[in-house]
Amino acid sequence: MWGIELMRSSEIPLKRQIYLAVRDQIINGKLKEGEALPSTRVLANVLHVSRNTVNEAIEMLLVEGFVVSRQGAPTRIAEGLSLEVPPVEEPPKRVESPLSFLVDFRTGQPELRQFPRYLWQQISQKTLSEMPHDLLGYTGPQGLPRLRMEIVSWLYRSKGLSVDPEDVFITAGATHALHVIADLLYEDGMEIMVEDPCNIEMLQTFINKGYNVQPISVDEHGIQPDKLKGKSSSPVYITPSHQFPLGGILPADRRAALIRFARENQSYIIEDDYDSEFRYYGDPVSPLYAMDSERVIYIGTFSKVLFPALRIGYAILPPKLQQRWRFLRTYTDVQNPPFEQAALAEFLHTRKFDRHIRKMRRLYGERREVLLSSLKECFGEAWHPWGDAAGLHLAVEFPGIHFDESFREKSRLNRIRITPVEHHSIQKGMHVNKLLLGYGHLNPDEIRKNMASLLTYLKEQGHYE
């Protein structure tokens, strides 16, 4: 009846199948307004189901207003429910990505195979079993107090940074922190001054919020503060401890100049400290935040140092911004889940985190040396590294070779994942001879194999003789 076909092996209950079939025919106009439904007895007999099943389906239609019923009268189709069927639009063609890459020099990817999963599992089980019941409710927009205290302790022992736990706000990673900060600081027509080149994906956060981007050129030492003269009192987004993507460390005189600019213009510096834990000669660089906690917003993350799926980062905020931050978090996503926060707090407290960082620093340092030796073996002296010995990628200049966005896209089609610096440049044409080689996720044999394959590909494409 009415073209209703029931699928008795389906996980959808029969009553809902009946409801859906009748509802859809009402919406598409096959059942006209005012038309009477057969009695529940007739429907049950025709569909070979119990009368109770039909009654429950009709009740669902009544509750949602698709049919109307009066005592002593048949149930009828309600008025005004027919909708025209929109024209079918051809779906856009999907660009299929390769299932795997033959060469993969992606940036920002840690070595996931070395993460102590069993230890993390033990800690997670322990913290979950010991977690007070009140932490299963709403715990507020700032994050678990214990995790904030452990982050403060880690920053002090690793970077000599003294921070009040009340100034620390837990986020779902660095990107999430930037989203909140972009809302926090935004005013109509506001500009954001950023390093050029910079992380183009992070920059998109500000663009999506309506900021006008003002690029400030970068040299081998980082952003050039003298180019801020005459600019508005807008926030400045920087990566001073390991400039992304070129890798420079911002020297003290430039840091002081940035602080003076922020103070004179009553603006803020957004410091993204995305991977300074991994520095291979000497200690990690001290954050810019240490020079002025009133004008610098510090962003840290655990995605690069542990694993990206752990969506936990943090922001250290000047007191003036904290009430507004709490408001924004409360009325957007409220809070981070407590379980991973509790596990990470324990991981930090037991110093298992410290040991993991030391282990990975040694491993990444060795891999960087393998990358450098592989570059020399494959390319001789026809290349030049940029930046400090730090992080999970290396910016490499190849004089005389041109790498632009079309090179990147063509490489991906050939199952080679590699990013030109030009991809992260706002003003094009200044870094066309540089590539970014991510190595953190590659073991020594993979680095050598990838480098040899890259050389072969460049020769095949006529980029290298």
Side-chain angles (χ1 to χ4, degrees):
M1 176 174 282
W2 290 344
I4 298 176
E5 296 183 6
L6 300 180
M7 296 180 290
R8 299 179 187 274
S9 61
S10 172
E11 292 185 354
I12 300 175
L14 292 175
K15 62 181 179 180
R16 183 163 289 275
Q17 291 187 48
I18 297 169
Y19 154 79
L20 291 172
V22 176
R23 183 204 66 182
D24 291 348
Q25 293 191 51
I26 293 172
I27 291 173
N28 63 31
K30 290 182 179 180
L31 293 177
K32 308 299 183 183
E33 60 184 55
E35 185 174 344
L37 272 65
S39 69
T40 55
R41 187 184 304 277
V42 170
L43 271 175
N45 288 335
V46 171
L47 297 175
H48 303 292
V49 296
S50 72
R51 194 174 177 186
N52 281 343
T53 298
V54 174
N55 283 331
E56 289 174 337
I58 299 300
E59 179 64 23
M60 294 167 69
L61 293 164
L62 281 166
V63 167
E64 296 186 22
F66 286 101
V67 297
V68 293
S69 178
R70 294 185 181 88
Q71 189 171 4
T75 301
R76 297 182 181 277
I77 307 300
E79 297 180 356
L81 297 178
S82 178
L83 298 174
E84 291 185 9
V85 179
V88 178
E89 296 183 3
E90 186 176 344
K93 292 182 179 179
R94 293 184 179 181
V95 178
E96 296 293 337
S97 300
L99 294 178
S100 61
F101 289 92
L102 297 174
V103 175
D104 190 355
F105 283 114
R106 81 184 91 168
T107 60
Q109 179 72 9
E111 175 53 275
L112 303 180
R113 293 167 293 193
Q114 293 290 328
F115 182 73
R117 295 176 62 172
Y118 181 66
L119 174 61
W120 183 260
Q121 179 184 342
Q122 288 181 310
I123 289 176
S124 297
Q125 291 174 338
K126 175 179 182 291
T127 54
L128 180 59
S129 65
E130 296 175 353
M131 184 177 290
H133 294 300
D134 59 344
L135 292 186
L136 301 180
Y138 292 110
T139 56
Q142 193 161 356
L144 294 190
R146 187 183 181 214
L147 176 57
R148 290 188 277 117
M149 291 179 64
E150 293 299 338
I151 288 173
V152 165
S153 296
W154 159 251
L155 291 172
Y156 184 74
R157 65 180 180 266
S158 65
K159 301 177 183 179
L161 189 63
S162 182
V163 180
D164 188 327
E166 289 302 311
D167 296 335
V168 177
F169 291 75
I170 305 302
T171 68
T175 303
H176 176 234
L178 283 179
H179 274 281
V180 181
I181 291 167
D183 282 334
L184 188 69
L185 301 180
Y186 184 73
E187 297 175 1
D188 287 340
M190 177 166 277
E191 296 177 339
I192 180 76
M193 290 180 281
V194 298
E195 302 164 320
D196 186 18
C198 70
N199 188 317
I200 210 70
E201 285 77 24
M202 291 297 196
L203 176 61
Q204 196 63 46
T205 301
F206 294 101
I207 294 173
N208 292 343
K209 298 293 184 181
Y211 284 79
N212 298 313
V213 175
Q214 288 295 321
I216 308 298
S217 59
V218 167
D219 60 17
E220 65 272 22
H221 301 296
I223 195 169
Q224 302 178 69
D226 59 301
K227 298 187 181 295
L228 296 174
K229 292 179 180 178
K231 301 290 183 181
S232 64
S233 57
S234 302
V236 185
Y237 171 70
I238 60 170
T239 51
S241 296
H242 185 225
Q243 200 280 326
F244 187 91
L246 296 180
I249 296 177
L250 196 66
D253 59 334
R254 295 192 187 188
R255 293 175 180 239
L258 276 172
I259 296 297
R260 281 193 291 269
F261 171 84
R263 289 176 177 177
E264 291 167 2
N265 292 279
Q266 294 295 295
S267 63
Y268 290 97
I269 299 167
I270 305 166
E271 177 181 13
D272 187 350
D273 190 5
Y274 64 99
D275 70 357
S276 69
E277 286 82 3
F278 301 128
R279 187 161 183 263
Y280 311 121
Y281 298 104
D283 293 333
V285 176
S286 180
L288 180 65
Y289 177 88
M291 297 179 69
D292 192 332
S293 60
E294 298 295 321
R295 287 290 136 201
V296 178
I297 302 169
Y298 179 89
I299 299 173
T301 181
F302 294 95
S303 296
K304 300 291 189 298
V305 296
L306 293 178
F307 56 96
L310 179 66
R311 305 310 305 152
I312 297 182
Y314 58 96
I316 307 176
L317 298 177
K320 288 183 180 179
L321 302 178
Q322 293 178 10
Q323 183 176 355
R324 174 67 176 162
W325 177 287
R326 291 189 182 93
F327 175 85
L328 290 171
R329 283 299 308 266
T330 299
Y331 294 102
T332 50
D333 62 340
V334 184
Q335 65 183 53
N336 284 51
F339 313 110
E340 291 86 354
Q341 290 187 72
L344 180 56
E346 181 70 10
F347 200 51
L348 285 159
H349 177 72
T350 58
R351 303 297 194 268
K352 300 290 195 306
F353 179 83
D354 301 50
R355 286 195 282 275
H356 180 67
I357 293 298
R358 288 195 296 269
K359 171 188 171 182
M360 299 310 293
R361 187 182 294 134
R362 288 193 300 270
L363 183 141
Y364 293 143
E366 292 167 359
R367 292 183 178 185
R368 184 177 185 275
E369 291 302 316
V370 172
L371 181 73
L372 292 169
S373 64
S374 298
L375 277 163
K376 188 171 184 179
E377 181 179 340
C378 290
F379 295 95
E381 302 296 331
W383 59 279
H384 173 68
W386 277 63
D388 185 49
L392 304 178
H393 77 271
L394 178 67
V396 182
E397 179 180 347
F398 295 87
I401 306 181
H402 188 97
F403 307 109
D404 56 14
E405 193 64 21
S406 64
F407 169 83
R408 175 176 176 269
E409 294 303 324
K410 189 174 182 179
S411 298
R412 291 179 71 86
L413 292 174
N414 284 277
R415 300 177 66 189
I416 295 175
R417 176 152 53 184
I418 193 165
T419 304
V421 171
E422 191 75 353
H423 174 71
H424 293 286
S425 297
I426 302 169
Q427 302 175 95
K428 302 299 183 181
M430 299 177 65
H431 300 282
V432 292
N433 60 359
K434 300 180 185 70
L435 289 176
L436 298 177
L437 302 178
Y439 56 85
H441 60 296
L442 301 173
N443 64 39
D445 288 339
E446 291 168 336
I447 292 172
R448 297 184 188 99
K449 180 181 177 181
N450 279 8
M451 192 63 68
S453 298
L454 177 62
L455 174 62
T456 299
Y457 175 71
L458 293 178
K459 287 180 175 179
E460 291 174 350
Q461 299 299 315
H463 293 292
Y464 189 79
E465 297 181 358

